[in-house]
Amino acid sequence: MIHNRLPPTPTATKHKADDKPFQFISIVGKSLILLFILSFISIGLYTAFYDPKSGGITPTAALHRLHSSIARNNAAAADHRRRDPNNNSPTNLSHLLFALSGSNDTWDDRSKSNSVWWSPNRTRGFVWLEDVQRPDSSPAPNSAPTRVSSPEWTRFGFSSSRPAVRIARTITDSFGLKLPGVRWFVMGDDDTVFFPENLVSLLANYDHNEMWYIGGNSESVEQAVMHSYEMAFGGGGFAISYPLAELLVENLDRCLERFHYFYGSDQRIWACITELGVGLTPHRGFHQMDIRGSAYGLLAAHPMAPLISLHHLGAMDPLFPGQDHLASVRTLYRAYKADPARILQPSYGYDHHLNWSVSISWGYTVQLYPNLVAVHDLQVPLQTFKTWRTFSEGPFTFNTRPTGPDPCSIPIVFMLDKVQSIGTWGTLTVYKRMEPAVKCRRPNFIRAMSVHRVVISSVVMEPDYWSKAPRRQCSDLVNGGGRMRGETLQIRVRRCGDREIVSTVE
Ligand SMILES: *[C@@H]1O[C@H](CO)[C@@H](O)[C@H](O)[C@H]1NC(C)=O
Ligand SMILES: *[C@@H]1O[C@H](CO)[C@@H](O)[C@H](O)[C@H]1NC(C)=O
Ligand SMILES: *[C@@H]1O[C@H](CO)[C@@H](O)[C@H](O)[C@H]1NC(C)=O
Ligand SMILES: *[C@@H]1O[C@H](CO)[C@@H](O)[C@H](O)[C@H]1NC(C)=O
């Protein structure tokens, strides 16, 4: 529009006239720059496509070559899609093939925790053993079926752990079965406890026709430093998409020869994957559990991400006081089954009249603080554990809060006791109070100790809840505000309002 355009000011016009000689220079200069850029681009193209074996090719030939290699890749991808006629259907459990590593000597024992999460005829996969089990062995009913690793692994060198080679090759053994409809290979240990529904929801967010390497790192800095921050730790488990598995298997044996000096199988796999140009897609729901002592603090402050796996449970205190390892896993699993996406999900709430703060890790524990603690503190795990390797006080790959010795500095703890489904849409979970070893004698603590049970009601989370931008849910202390009768604190966990905030101030 004309009226928007300002007429040239007299100064500007004058300036133009005075610039005549410089204009000529600038035309020469511009041509030079153009020439420079053109030659730069052709040198760039030439070096990019220079093939030392062919003795050098023209950029046009290089482009042709590039086009035909893209066409080849597309054809390979199309071929993979043809093999699975339902390639575009949503990913479900049947598309995952678990490749677990075990040992014929320990499987009877390890199969117990496996049977908690394995569902025969629904979960697909095998536990790979070095040899057949003794005839009198008796793995837990409803645990994963076993297979013996193909014996080629014995020819590879190793410097510290011999089984590591065999375990790395479980991807080769699993891929070699050529089972139909497999989109993801999920590697794990015989003692890894998976939460398969959550793993399916997570993997459904990724295109299985692309190359993905998805897993989690260690909790202990000493472990991450020693192995790698870029590596998926094998005990927490990791997922490899079909095309990546295909390329990995093609190259793995050569990698195993070269990387014989590594400690673990997961490190060998990682080192090989790095050479394929694929990096780790980290996810916070995989738990290697490289910690010692009590995992309580960590699981009571889980990040906002679906729980995918737990490992090393036998190496720590049982998750629930008064229950052994297996019973503890079963207790947690009861809540998981009732509302898979919600298990261990954090939620915080306040009673602004009594000055109480509540921190929830759904399906596991509730913490009650008889004072106002900000969310950014509540979400930091209490350090109830030590590092994996050296049993040190840290550092960890996340922040921690100290736990005492002042009994007034730690919360009143409630642990999951009962799970009740309401139809298919809701749940009631009941948490009962633990007796603290040392009691805090302050009046606000004594008042809060009158709560003996916490009952949480919530609506079952949609499976795709965590594929959206993650937002914590809100908690209402239903009978708070001094209206609590009896010994039960009732809490409703629900989606927050769009503009709702959770804060120590009302
Ligand atoms: C999983 O998806 C496949 C299609 O790829 C379908 O045939 C099968 O019925 C689905 N299984 C379940 C349990 O939904
Ligand atoms: C699994 O399938 C087999 C064969 O169809 C059947 O015999 C077996 O009872 C099934 N197991 C369970 C636990 O459903
Ligand atoms: C497991 O396999 C190894 C290697 O063949 C063997 O030495 C061991 O005796 C086997 N253990 C059992 C319980 O079969
Ligand atoms: C809660 O905290 C506020 C501000 O510190 C204080 O004024 C109030 O008396 C406290 N209420 C109770 C019940 O402790």
Side-chain angles (χ1 to χ4, degrees), residues 481-500:
R483 279 177 283 116
M484 201 180 89
R485 298 277 175 271
E487 303 173 329
T488 303
L489 177 62
Q490 286 172 31
I491 299 178
R492 181 172 54 229
V493 180
R494 54 162 178 85
R495 228 176 237 283
C496 301
D498 283 350
R499 313 196 71 81
E500 186 170 0

Side-chain angles (χ1 to χ4, degrees), residues 112-131:
K112 290 175 193 152
S113 66
N114 175 272
S115 71
V116 177
W117 67 271
W118 191 268
S119 355
N121 298 351
R122 254 174 37 85
T123 357
R124 299 170 76 194
F126 301 95
V127 178
W128 296 87
L129 309 175
E130 72 272 48
D131 204 348

Side-chain angles (χ1 to χ4, degrees), residues 300-312:
H302 194 266
M304 258 187 280
L307 175 63
I308 305 293
S309 68
L310 293 173
H311 181 235
H312 276 158

Side-chain angles (χ1 to χ4, degrees), residues 24 64 70 121 175 186 207 269 303 363 387 394 409 416 449 481 499:
F24 170 73
H64 275 301
I70 290 172
N121 298 351
F175 191 85
V186 181
D207 182 355
I269 296 269
T387 64
S409 72
L416 181 73
M449 286 289 278
R499 313 196 71 81

